[in-house]
Amino acid sequence: DIQLTQSPSFLSASVGDRVTITCRASQGISSYLAWYQQKPGKAPKLLIYAASTLQSGVPSRFSGSGSGTEFTLTINSLQPEDFATYYCQQLNNYPLTFGGGTKVEIK
Amino acid sequence: QVQLVESGGGVVQPGRSLRLSCVASGFTFSSYGMYWVRQAPGEGLEWVAYISHPGSNQYYADSLKGRFTISRDNSRNTLYLQMNSLRAEDTAVYYCAKPTAGSPPKELDYWGQGTLVTVSS
C-alpha cells in the first residue's frame, strides 16, 4: 500500500501569510494526487486534483505542485476562512490512501 | 444539484452488523463509481471502499479484512455499505462520495453530510 506522509501535522499562521504543506508518497504516484480542505463538523472539500489543477470555484490563492513522490499545497495570503485541516489523497492505485492531515490554526 | 444523503448510522454493540445507505440525486448515479470514506472522532480521513458504476468491481481498505461489503442499486440511486462483526475501532463518521468524471480512481468532488456509527456495549 502507498503511504502518504504530510508535514507539518500542525501549523500556526497569521492572516496574510504564505503557507506550504508537503505530502510525501512512499512510492511514485505520478501526478495522481488530490488535496482537500475540511472544516470542523463538515465534509471535506476538493481543492486540487492531478497535483496542480485547481477545482472549479476554489480561490486562486490555493496552488499545488509536484509529481512522483513529493507534493506541495501552497496557500498565498492566508484568509480567515482558510483555517482548517488539509489532506492529500493518492489516486494512483487501490487501496486509495489519505495523508494524516495538516491543521492550520490562527497564530 | 448533486446531493448525497447518508443514513443508517447509530449505536451498535460490538460484533453486530449495520447497513448504511446513501441516496444520490442531481447526477446520473449509474454512470459513476462510488466511494465510502470514514473518519474516526478527532482523527483523519480513511478510505473504506469503492464500487464501479455497474457494481461489478469492488475494492476495500486492507484493514477491513472482509468484514465490509459495498453494493449499489442503480434503479434506486442508492449506495450501500454492509458492515459486519463491528469493532470499537469502526466508530466513525461514514461519508459517501462521488468522484469526478473519467476513468477511476478519481478525486472526490461531492460528499454527503456523513452518518455517525458508534460501536459500543
Side-chain angles (χ1 to χ4, degrees):
Chain A
D1 297 2
I2 297 173
Q3 312 301 319
L4 295 180
T5 303
Q6 281 184 241
S7 60
S9 54
F10 172 88
L11 73 86
S12 184
S14 300
V15 172
D17 283 354
R18 184 172 188 250
V19 165
T20 298
I21 299 168
T22 298
C23 178
R24 288 187 175 88
S26 59
Q27 59 186 269
I29 57 171
S30 185
S31 296
Y32 297 112
L33 189 99
W35 289 97
Y36 301 87
Q37 175 194 68
Q38 188 181 32
K39 296 182 179 179
K42 300 294 186 182
K45 172 187 174 183
L46 177 64
L47 297 177
I48 286 169
Y49 61 94
S52 61
T53 303
L54 202 64
Q55 172 70 350
S56 175
V58 174
S60 59
R61 62 181 178 272
F62 291 91
S63 64
S65 65
S67 67
T69 61
E70 186 150 338
F71 302 85
T72 59
L73 172 70
T74 300
I75 312 172
N76 284 304
S77 188
L78 199 65
Q79 297 300 299
E81 59 268 30
D82 301 335
F83 292 95
T85 302
Y86 294 84
Y87 296 92
C88 56
Q89 182 195 23
Q90 67 84 15
L91 300 153
N92 188 68
N93 53 27
Y94 295 104
L96 307 184
T97 44
F98 289 92
T102 296
K103 187 173 185 179
V104 178
E105 288 202 342
I106 302 173
K107 182 182 287 184
Chain B
Q1 70 283 19
V2 173
Q3 279 198 303
L4 299 167
V5 180
E6 302 99 334
S7 62
V11 180
V12 60
Q13 293 179 327
R16 303 297 292 266
S17 298
L18 204 60
R19 188 177 81 159
L20 306 182
S21 300
C22 170
V23 177
S25 60
F27 66 104
T28 305
F29 179 73
S30 60
S31 296
Y32 287 82
M34 292 292 292
Y35 295 82
W36 287 99
V37 175
R38 70 181 182 182
Q39 186 169 36
E43 301 295 323
L45 301 171
E46 181 184 16
W47 177 79
V48 171
Y50 162 81
I51 186 167
S52 61
H53 66 94
S56 52
N57 294 309
Q58 304 89 32
Y59 296 97
Y60 298 93
D62 294 343
S63 61
L64 299 181
K65 294 184 179 178
R67 296 185 298 119
F68 288 14
T69 301
I70 189 172
S71 63
R72 65 191 297 159
D73 184 341
N74 286 342
S75 68
R76 296 175 183 268
N77 285 356
T78 303
L79 176 72
Y80 301 102
L81 185 67
Q82 177 68 42
M83 305 184 294
N84 298 331
S85 303
L86 283 162
R87 306 168 180 169
E89 54 264 37
D90 296 318
T91 295
V93 173
Y94 286 74
Y95 296 101
C96 70
K98 168 195 165 294
T100 58
S103 298
K106 297 293 289 184
E107 54 280 347
L108 306 173
D109 61 351
Y110 287 94
W111 298 63
Q113 84 287 353
T115 187
L116 176 62
V117 173
T118 303
V119 183
S120 173
S121 54

